[in-house]
Amino acid sequence: MKPNILVVGPSGSGKSTSLASLNPKVTAILNTERKQLPFKNAKEFMNVPIKTVSEFHSAMDKALASDKIQVVVIESFTSLIEIIFREADIRYKGFDVWSYYNKEIDRILDKSKNSDKYVVFTAIDGVYDGDNGVEERYVAVDGNRWKKRVEKEFVICLFTDTRTTEEGVQYRFRTNTTGRDSAKSPMGMFENLHIDNKLGNVIQACEEYYN
């Protein structure tokens, strides 16, 4: 099995652009955002627009079974759970809405953990503001069942981090927590707390670490 990967951060913090460093010949992008990818070689990727839950499962199962695909990207978890909730709200009432919603998330995350592919999710973060500003970051999700629990389903959880330099804005991933989120990675996989926001490098680090 390959480690599943979660990339978390606000809009515009480099999540989608990090996909550009992946090998398009072996990568399938399940595009629940149904938006153009923000990098020049986007047309080289297998980019599958997803409108419904059934479309998602069909596309994911096909990608996971493919001999050609090595990396499956869900762009994004945030849009996917919006699709799930929208369908749940149409089909069910009351508690059954949340029952369907929670079970679908569990079903999807379970698939990501039992695969010989690298499964990568991008997600928008939610924040808890306190007296000192942002005190906690976590994957934004509706309801209480999965609040602050999504990250535990992943082996690697990278939070986006940006800083301004003389050359401009530098987009980075943070590989471990600083106490205000659930960023994590296997012990010793990354030498630095911050790395370039290149998912291709993350996949390579996984290959070297586990093989």
Side-chain angles (χ1 to χ4, degrees), residues 21-38:
S21 59
L22 294 170
N23 181 351
K25 294 181 180 180
V26 297
T27 302
I29 299 177
L30 309 188
N31 193 343
T32 60
E33 296 276 353
R34 287 181 287 140
K35 296 190 299 188
Q36 181 60 267
L37 298 171

PDB file of all heavy atoms in Angstrom, residues 21-38:
ATOM      1  N   SER A  21       3.970  19.618 -10.750  1.00  0.00           N
ATOM      2  CA  SER A  21       5.223  18.869 -10.663  1.00  0.00           C
ATOM      3  C   SER A  21       5.027  17.359 -10.763  1.00  0.00           C
ATOM      4  O   SER A  21       5.997  16.603 -10.803  1.00  0.00           O
ATOM      5  CB  SER A  21       5.927  19.205  -9.338  1.00  0.00           C
ATOM      6  OG  SER A  21       5.099  18.878  -8.239  1.00  0.00           O
ATOM      7  N   LEU A  22       3.780  16.894 -10.823  1.00  0.00           N
ATOM      8  CA  LEU A  22       3.504  15.468 -10.975  1.00  0.00           C
ATOM      9  C   LEU A  22       3.716  15.036 -12.422  1.00  0.00           C
ATOM     10  O   LEU A  22       3.654  15.855 -13.345  1.00  0.00           O
ATOM     11  CB  LEU A  22       2.066  15.161 -10.542  1.00  0.00           C
ATOM     12  CG  LEU A  22       1.741  15.363  -9.066  1.00  0.00           C
ATOM     13  CD1 LEU A  22       0.228  15.260  -8.844  1.00  0.00           C
ATOM     14  CD2 LEU A  22       2.480  14.358  -8.191  1.00  0.00           C
ATOM     15  N   ASN A  23       3.929  13.762 -12.621  1.00  0.00           N
ATOM     16  CA  ASN A  23       4.102  13.216 -13.969  1.00  0.00           C
ATOM     17  C   ASN A  23       2.724  13.029 -14.604  1.00  0.00           C
ATOM     18  O   ASN A  23       1.956  12.168 -14.170  1.00  0.00           O
ATOM     19  CB  ASN A  23       4.836  11.877 -13.891  1.00  0.00           C
ATOM     20  CG  ASN A  23       5.085  11.259 -15.256  1.00  0.00           C
ATOM     21  OD1 ASN A  23       4.584  11.735 -16.273  1.00  0.00           O
ATOM     22  ND2 ASN A  23       5.857  10.200 -15.279  1.00  0.00           N
ATOM     23  N   PRO A  24       2.377  13.814 -15.634  1.00  0.00           N
ATOM     24  CA  PRO A  24       1.029  13.730 -16.212  1.00  0.00           C
ATOM     25  C   PRO A  24       0.726  12.384 -16.878  1.00  0.00           C
ATOM     26  O   PRO A  24      -0.440  12.014 -17.026  1.00  0.00           O
ATOM     27  CB  PRO A  24       1.014  14.868 -17.242  1.00  0.00           C
ATOM     28  CG  PRO A  24       2.451  15.084 -17.584  1.00  0.00           C
ATOM     29  CD  PRO A  24       3.218  14.815 -16.319  1.00  0.00           C
ATOM     30  N   LYS A  25       1.757  11.627 -17.237  1.00  0.00           N
ATOM     31  CA  LYS A  25       1.540  10.344 -17.908  1.00  0.00           C
ATOM     32  C   LYS A  25       0.994   9.279 -16.966  1.00  0.00           C
ATOM     33  O   LYS A  25       0.392   8.296 -17.429  1.00  0.00           O
ATOM     34  CB  LYS A  25       2.848   9.863 -18.539  1.00  0.00           C
ATOM     35  CG  LYS A  25       3.355  10.746 -19.671  1.00  0.00           C
ATOM     36  CD  LYS A  25       4.629  10.188 -20.264  1.00  0.00           C
ATOM     37  CE  LYS A  25       5.132  11.061 -21.398  1.00  0.00           C
ATOM     38  NZ  LYS A  25       6.393  10.523 -21.992  1.00  0.00           N
ATOM     39  N   VAL A  26       1.198   9.475 -15.665  1.00  0.00           N
ATOM     40  CA  VAL A  26       0.761   8.453 -14.706  1.00  0.00           C
ATOM     41  C   VAL A  26      -0.168   9.026 -13.639  1.00  0.00           C
ATOM     42  O   VAL A  26      -0.386   8.404 -12.606  1.00  0.00           O
ATOM     43  CB  VAL A  26       1.978   7.779 -14.027  1.00  0.00           C
ATOM     44  CG1 VAL A  26       2.823   7.059 -15.062  1.00  0.00           C
ATOM     45  CG2 VAL A  26       2.815   8.797 -13.256  1.00  0.00           C
ATOM     46  N   THR A  27      -0.712  10.225 -13.901  1.00  0.00           N
ATOM     47  CA  THR A  27      -1.549  10.911 -12.920  1.00  0.00           C
ATOM     48  C   THR A  27      -2.961  11.125 -13.447  1.00  0.00           C
ATOM     49  O   THR A  27      -3.152  11.584 -14.573  1.00  0.00           O
ATOM     50  CB  THR A  27      -0.951  12.285 -12.554  1.00  0.00           C
ATOM     51  OG1 THR A  27       0.379  12.095 -12.042  1.00  0.00           O
ATOM     52  CG2 THR A  27      -1.801  12.992 -11.503  1.00  0.00           C
ATOM     53  N   ALA A  28      -3.945  10.793 -12.631  1.00  0.00           N
ATOM     54  CA  ALA A  28      -5.346  11.078 -12.947  1.00  0.00           C
ATOM     55  C   ALA A  28      -5.862  12.097 -11.938  1.00  0.00           C
ATOM     56  O   ALA A  28      -5.694  11.915 -10.727  1.00  0.00           O
ATOM     57  CB  ALA A  28      -6.188   9.812 -12.876  1.00  0.00           C
ATOM     58  N   ILE A  29      -6.461  13.173 -12.436  1.00  0.00           N
ATOM     59  CA  ILE A  29      -7.021  14.202 -11.574  1.00  0.00           C
ATOM     60  C   ILE A  29      -8.543  14.130 -11.638  1.00  0.00           C
ATOM     61  O   ILE A  29      -9.137  14.313 -12.703  1.00  0.00           O
ATOM     62  CB  ILE A  29      -6.536  15.603 -11.986  1.00  0.00           C
ATOM     63  CG1 ILE A  29      -5.003  15.676 -11.852  1.00  0.00           C
ATOM     64  CG2 ILE A  29      -7.206  16.678 -11.130  1.00  0.00           C
ATOM     65  CD1 ILE A  29      -4.410  16.990 -12.304  1.00  0.00           C
ATOM     66  N   LEU A  30      -9.163  13.820 -10.501  1.00  0.00           N
ATOM     67  CA  LEU A  30     -10.625  13.792 -10.418  1.00  0.00           C
ATOM     68  C   LEU A  30     -11.058  15.188  -9.996  1.00  0.00           C
ATOM     69  O   LEU A  30     -10.951  15.567  -8.822  1.00  0.00           O
ATOM     70  CB  LEU A  30     -11.081  12.730  -9.423  1.00  0.00           C
ATOM     71  CG  LEU A  30     -10.482  11.328  -9.636  1.00  0.00           C
ATOM     72  CD1 LEU A  30     -11.160  10.318  -8.723  1.00  0.00           C
ATOM     73  CD2 LEU A  30     -10.575  10.892 -11.082  1.00  0.00           C
ATOM     74  N   ASN A  31     -11.536  15.945 -10.953  1.00  0.00           N
ATOM     75  CA  ASN A  31     -11.730  17.384 -10.795  1.00  0.00           C
ATOM     76  C   ASN A  31     -13.154  17.710 -10.353  1.00  0.00           C
ATOM     77  O   ASN A  31     -14.021  18.045 -11.160  1.00  0.00           O
ATOM     78  CB  ASN A  31     -11.391  18.078 -12.112  1.00  0.00           C
ATOM     79  CG  ASN A  31     -11.264  19.576 -11.978  1.00  0.00           C
ATOM     80  OD1 ASN A  31     -11.716  20.163 -11.002  1.00  0.00           O
ATOM     81  ND2 ASN A  31     -10.645  20.198 -12.967  1.00  0.00           N
ATOM     82  N   THR A  32     -13.383  17.616  -9.052  1.00  0.00           N
ATOM     83  CA  THR A  32     -14.702  17.960  -8.512  1.00  0.00           C
ATOM     84  C   THR A  32     -14.932  19.464  -8.510  1.00  0.00           C
ATOM     85  O   THR A  32     -16.078  19.918  -8.389  1.00  0.00           O
ATOM     86  CB  THR A  32     -14.866  17.422  -7.081  1.00  0.00           C
ATOM     87  OG1 THR A  32     -13.860  18.000  -6.241  1.00  0.00           O
ATOM     88  CG2 THR A  32     -14.726  15.915  -7.052  1.00  0.00           C
ATOM     89  N   GLU A  33     -13.851  20.228  -8.645  1.00  0.00           N
ATOM     90  CA  GLU A  33     -13.980  21.685  -8.760  1.00  0.00           C
ATOM     91  C   GLU A  33     -14.523  22.069 -10.137  1.00  0.00           C
ATOM     92  O   GLU A  33     -15.126  23.129 -10.300  1.00  0.00           O
ATOM     93  CB  GLU A  33     -12.612  22.347  -8.550  1.00  0.00           C
ATOM     94  CG  GLU A  33     -12.010  22.149  -7.170  1.00  0.00           C
ATOM     95  CD  GLU A  33     -12.517  23.154  -6.180  1.00  0.00           C
ATOM     96  OE1 GLU A  33     -13.231  24.088  -6.592  1.00  0.00           O
ATOM     97  OE2 GLU A  33     -12.205  23.003  -4.983  1.00  0.00           O
ATOM     98  N   ARG A  34     -14.242  21.210 -11.119  1.00  0.00           N
ATOM     99  CA  ARG A  34     -14.626  21.446 -12.521  1.00  0.00           C
ATOM    100  C   ARG A  34     -14.136  22.813 -12.995  1.00  0.00           C
ATOM    101  O   ARG A  34     -14.848  23.555 -13.675  1.00  0.00           O
ATOM    102  CB  ARG A  34     -16.131  21.302 -12.700  1.00  0.00           C
ATOM    103  CG  ARG A  34     -16.581  19.840 -12.629  1.00  0.00           C
ATOM    104  CD  ARG A  34     -18.062  19.682 -12.826  1.00  0.00           C
ATOM    105  NE  ARG A  34     -18.809  20.141 -11.663  1.00  0.00           N
ATOM    106  CZ  ARG A  34     -19.941  20.820 -11.720  1.00  0.00           C
ATOM    107  NH1 ARG A  34     -20.462  21.137 -12.895  1.00  0.00           N
ATOM    108  NH2 ARG A  34     -20.558  21.192 -10.622  1.00  0.00           N
ATOM    109  N   LYS A  35     -12.878  23.114 -12.633  1.00  0.00           N
ATOM    110  CA  LYS A  35     -12.242  24.354 -13.065  1.00  0.00           C
ATOM    111  C   LYS A  35     -10.936  24.018 -13.780  1.00  0.00           C
ATOM    112  O   LYS A  35     -10.352  22.962 -13.567  1.00  0.00           O
ATOM    113  CB  LYS A  35     -11.933  25.249 -11.857  1.00  0.00           C
ATOM    114  CG  LYS A  35     -13.158  25.737 -11.107  1.00  0.00           C
ATOM    115  CD  LYS A  35     -12.801  26.813 -10.085  1.00  0.00           C
ATOM    116  CE  LYS A  35     -11.849  26.312  -9.035  1.00  0.00           C
ATOM    117  NZ  LYS A  35     -11.647  27.298  -7.941  1.00  0.00           N
ATOM    118  N   GLN A  36     -10.490  24.948 -14.610  1.00  0.00           N
ATOM    119  CA  GLN A  36      -9.209  24.779 -15.277  1.00  0.00           C
ATOM    120  C   GLN A  36      -8.100  24.766 -14.241  1.00  0.00           C
ATOM    121  O   GLN A  36      -8.134  25.520 -13.266  1.00  0.00           O
ATOM    122  CB  GLN A  36      -8.968  25.917 -16.280  1.00  0.00           C
ATOM    123  CG  GLN A  36      -7.667  25.825 -17.056  1.00  0.00           C
ATOM    124  CD  GLN A  36      -7.571  24.559 -17.886  1.00  0.00           C
ATOM    125  OE1 GLN A  36      -7.031  23.548 -17.438  1.00  0.00           O
ATOM    126  NE2 GLN A  36      -8.111  24.600 -19.091  1.00  0.00           N
ATOM    127  N   LEU A  37      -7.107  23.908 -14.442  1.00  0.00           N
ATOM    128  CA  LEU A  37      -5.975  23.847 -13.527  1.00  0.00           C
ATOM    129  C   LEU A  37      -5.023  25.009 -13.816  1.00  0.00           C
ATOM    130  O   LEU A  37      -4.781  25.337 -14.982  1.00  0.00           O
ATOM    131  CB  LEU A  37      -5.253  22.513 -13.675  1.00  0.00           C
ATOM    132  CG  LEU A  37      -6.105  21.289 -13.329  1.00  0.00           C
ATOM    133  CD1 LEU A  37      -5.382  20.005 -13.706  1.00  0.00           C
ATOM    134  CD2 LEU A  37      -6.456  21.289 -11.851  1.00  0.00           C
ATOM    135  N   PRO A  38      -4.449  25.633 -12.780  1.00  0.00           N
ATOM    136  CA  PRO A  38      -3.704  26.884 -12.958  1.00  0.00           C
ATOM    137  C   PRO A  38      -2.222  26.727 -13.277  1.00  0.00           C
ATOM    138  O   PRO A  38      -1.353  27.314 -12.619  1.00  0.00           O
ATOM    139  CB  PRO A  38      -3.903  27.556 -11.588  1.00  0.00           C
ATOM    140  CG  PRO A  38      -3.927  26.423 -10.630  1.00  0.00           C
ATOM    141  CD  PRO A  38      -4.637  25.309 -11.344  1.00  0.00           C
TER     142      PRO A  38
END
